[in-house]
Amino acid sequence: MSPAHRPVLLDEVSAALQAGPGQVIVDGTFGAGGYSRAFLETGASVLAFDRDPSARRFTEGLPGDRFRLVEANFSSMDEVAGEAAVDGVALDLGVSSMQLDEAERGFSFMRDGPLDMRMGASGPTAADLVNEAEAEELARIFFVYGEERKSRRIAGAIVRRRAEQPFTRTADLAEFIERVLGGRRGAKTHPATRAFQGLRIAVNDELGELEAGLGAAERALKTGGRLCVVTFHSLEDRIVKSFLSVRAGKTPAGSRHAPPVEAGAPASFDLLFNGAHGPSDAELDANPRSRSAKLRAAVRTAAPVWRQAA
């Protein structure tokens, strides 16, 4: 990683997390190591997670006595670190800038590459989904995960086209979706943006991993430990907001977007601030990708861990 790499909302996350000497911080989404490096500079130790095996190339120069990278999903943090064992957890969700910039990973329709989209090294690819899933399932992925209103039109057109020629490249799929939707017509975003988001989330089970990861963070944090989560779209933010609202006792446990929990369970988090913090004007100028970023943060109370209802 270039030392110049700076992750989104670094100042805000650092201020909320308050890492320091002797603390153990989980960087659940290591990426290019921007957060980890900042936490290590405070004197803290860092336990980092990333399911992408290529992330290890960014660990060069990090102190071996205070840093460890685990090639796994961040939902396993409580199993690796132990319950009530860490002082802070930071999650920077979504796809990393490096993955977007590497055409061979297949995340971006702006750079032609194989239709892959896997954050890890195993499992079905986006091409597998596009070429094998039923039209109804594709439409669901585009609508639910991509929030694409014209999901059925896109899915139906894909199924008809793939019968003659399967999709294997990102540019081919992006250009096809653009034609199906009638071109850009002055739109600020590419017509394939939402469909690509939906495929990426489905391929990597990002929302399922987020829900499991929030529970793992709750179990891993010590009393007084802090949780910081940076989201990039409404689906992620809704899950984090609902989780923290319920855990802080501000929303009934039966909330639509909150995981099921035992009725009457006490609050296990206090919110560090109401609502979400977004990027500053300076950050928006330096990094346009930060425009949709939102930070939510909370501190772990002494209450027992919430257990999911049977």
Side-chain angles (χ1 to χ4, degrees):
M1 182 197 74
S2 167
H5 172 72
R6 183 178 177 83
V8 169
L9 297 178
L10 177 60
D11 291 341
E12 291 81 358
V13 169
S14 297
L17 204 62
Q18 295 186 356
Q23 291 190 345
V24 176
I25 306 296
V26 168
D27 180 357
T29 46
F30 178 71
Y35 281 131
S36 286
R37 290 178 185 273
F39 303 152
L40 288 166
E41 287 175 359
T42 71
S45 296
V46 173
L47 175 61
F49 291 80
D50 204 303
R51 66 173 105 176
D52 186 347
S54 71
R56 192 163 296 278
R57 71 187 191 273
F58 299 115
T59 64
E60 184 177 355
L62 298 182
D65 60 331
R66 290 190 294 117
F67 175 81
R68 177 187 174 195
L69 175 61
V70 180
E71 188 180 317
N73 292 342
F74 58 71
S75 58
S76 65
M77 70 176 78
D78 59 321
E79 299 173 5
V80 176
E83 294 195 4
V86 304
D87 300 280
V89 174
L91 304 176
D92 177 10
L93 304 176
V95 63
S96 73
S97 297
M98 281 60 61
Q99 289 169 330
L100 283 172
D101 292 339
E102 295 171 350
E104 65 272 15
R105 302 301 300 276
F107 286 101
S108 176
F109 45 77
M110 302 300 291
R111 296 172 174 82
D112 184 37
L115 193 55
D116 193 318
M117 296 192 189
R118 293 174 300 174
M119 292 181 178
S122 61
T125 66
D128 293 328
L129 278 180
V130 169
N131 293 315
E132 298 173 11
E134 299 291 337
E136 184 177 348
E137 174 63 7
L138 280 176
R140 185 192 69 83
I141 289 171
F142 297 149
F143 182 76
V144 176
Y145 298 150
E147 300 180 291
E148 172 57 68
R149 295 180 180 178
K150 299 178 180 178
S151 58
R152 291 186 181 277
R153 182 193 300 182
I154 296 171
I158 284 174
V159 169
R160 290 189 295 272
R161 201 319 277 276
R162 76 188 189 192
E164 300 178 358
Q165 181 185 357
F167 292 90
T168 61
R169 308 289 296 182
T170 56
D172 180 23
L173 180 60
E175 291 166 4
F176 179 79
I177 293 174
E178 184 173 358
R179 291 195 299 273
V180 169
L181 298 182
R184 301 193 186 193
R185 297 181 181 177
K188 294 182 179 179
T189 58
H190 193 285
T193 300
R194 293 183 182 275
F196 266 62
Q197 173 182 298
L199 284 171
R200 191 201 78 219
I201 290 174
V203 165
N204 297 288
D205 187 26
E206 292 179 32
L207 302 187
E209 170 66 6
L210 173 56
E211 290 180 346
L214 291 171
E218 181 182 42
R219 294 187 291 273
L221 281 166
K222 299 176 181 177
T223 298
R226 296 182 172 220
L227 170 64
C228 296
V229 187
V230 177
T231 65
F232 288 87
H233 57 74
S234 61
L235 298 175
E236 295 172 339
D237 186 59
R238 196 177 303 143
I239 290 172
V240 177
K241 177 182 178 181
S242 295
F243 177 88
L244 291 179
S245 293
V246 170
R247 296 315 204 250
K250 297 183 178 296
T251 303
S255 174
R256 173 184 174 190
H257 300 293
V261 292
E262 295 176 355
S268 56
F269 280 102
D270 287 332
L271 303 182
L272 285 175
F273 46 80
N274 291 323
H277 287 179
S280 64
D281 290 340
E283 181 157 5
L284 285 171
D285 290 339
N287 182 10
R289 286 176 176 169
S290 69
R291 66 183 180 277
S292 61
K294 293 182 178 179
L295 167 66
R296 295 186 186 273
V299 59
R300 188 74 169 85
T301 69
V305 171
W306 290 52
R307 297 297 180 184
Q308 289 193 353

